């Protein structure tokens, strides 16, 4: 059995490996397939796809879109095998970039008001690609203003903390529509992190399925074995495909390894057939 990893991030969002570097790392790890699923952007995909090599892993173009969960807060939807040239997807993601461009200076201003000077130039230099709260956290760490990113989020950046700025998000249905419009397979990311009881989660998943959802990410670094089984069972019951990935970010989440997550993750390549069959259905 070979392993796959259908959830990873590069420097195009908040990971530390370049898209080509990620493809190379997946080849070195002997993975059968790897998907690049940067947050709210497909900018890394041309470089990623051009790193394809004979005998190397299948490179799956993807995206992870942050949406507004019913009741508030973020809910992530993965799009696998998206066509990153497709107009509707590009326009939807461009809207999200504009939202970020308006929000980031407000975060910088709030930090400044608290005597924590972090300029937009600094965070942009740290980011390489799109700028988000993780880069503000990194800037605060680099300046010795906090000990680590966890402290940066807890004291300043998390929702409800003094430098938090609300972000407008797409609805889950809109994100599913963008992914389907780009020929991709929409998958609910890390469902266990939604922290819902099984019955409520099942109801939500069915509602999303009505809006075009096609898969569940049952295998995930932070899902334990019972959660993995429960989510695989739910997917099977509802006729959804099962996906899995590590959420690899490189050095910004050093405990999470490509392919094996926190050490025990094993996403079998046998899942690929079910995912592709669903995509073609
Ligand atoms: P943004 O899209 O700019 O709001 O940033 C969201 C990202 O920040 C998420 O994808 C996480 O990687 C990271 N993040 C959110 N909350 C925390 C937290 N409490 N601790 C560390 N990282 C976090
Ligand atoms: Zn991330
Ligand atoms: Fe996520
Ligand atoms: Fe992710």
């Amino acid at each position: 059995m070979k392993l796959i990893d259908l959830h990873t991030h590069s420097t195009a969002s908040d990971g530390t490996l370049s898209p080509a570097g990620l493809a190379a790392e997946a080849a070195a790890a002997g993975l059968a397939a790897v998907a690049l699923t940067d947050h709210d952007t497909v900018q890394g995909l041309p470089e990623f796809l051009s790193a394809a090599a004979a005998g190397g892993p299948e490179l799956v173009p993807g995206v992870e879109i942050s949406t507004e969960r019913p009741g508030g807060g973020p809910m992530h939807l993965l799009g696998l095998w998206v066509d990153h040239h497709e107009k509707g997807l590009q326009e939807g993601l461009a809207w999200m970039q504009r939202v970020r461009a308006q929000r980031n200076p407000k975060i910088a201003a709030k930090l400044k008001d608290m005597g924590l000077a972090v300029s937009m130039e600094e965070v942009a230099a740290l980011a390489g690609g799109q700028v988000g709260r993780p880069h503000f956290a990194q800037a605060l760490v680099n300046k010795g203003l906090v000990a680590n990113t966890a402290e940066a989020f807890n004291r300043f950046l998390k929702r409800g903390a003094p430098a938090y700025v609300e972000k407008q998000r797409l609805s889950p249905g809109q994100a599913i529509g963008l992914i389907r419009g780009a020929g991709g397979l929409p998958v609910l990311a890390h469902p266990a992190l939604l922290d819902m009881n099984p019955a409520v989660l099942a109801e939500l998943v069915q509602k999303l399925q009505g809006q075009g959802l096609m898969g569940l990410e049952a295998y995930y670094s932070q899902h334990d074995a019972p959660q993995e089984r429960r989510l695989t069972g739910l997917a099977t019951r509802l006729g959804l495909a099962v996906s899995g990935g590590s959420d690899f970010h490189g050095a910004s989440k050093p405990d999470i390894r490509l392919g094996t997550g926190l050490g025990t993750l094993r996403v079998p390549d046998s899942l690929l057939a079910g995912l592709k069959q669903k995509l073609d259905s």
Side-chain angles (χ1 to χ4, degrees), residues 87-101:
K87 262 258 152 59
L89 178 65
Q90 288 194 344
E91 283 168 10
L93 297 177
W95 177 83
M96 298 186 77
Q97 299 304 321
R98 287 197 296 279
V99 166
R100 275 185 186 280

Side-chain angles (χ1 to χ4, degrees), residues 67-85:
T67 71
E68 184 78 10
R69 145 190 195 170
M75 177 162 88
H76 291 174
L77 285 157
L78 295 163
L80 300 175
W81 288 284
V82 291
D83 171 8
H84 59 282
H85 299 295

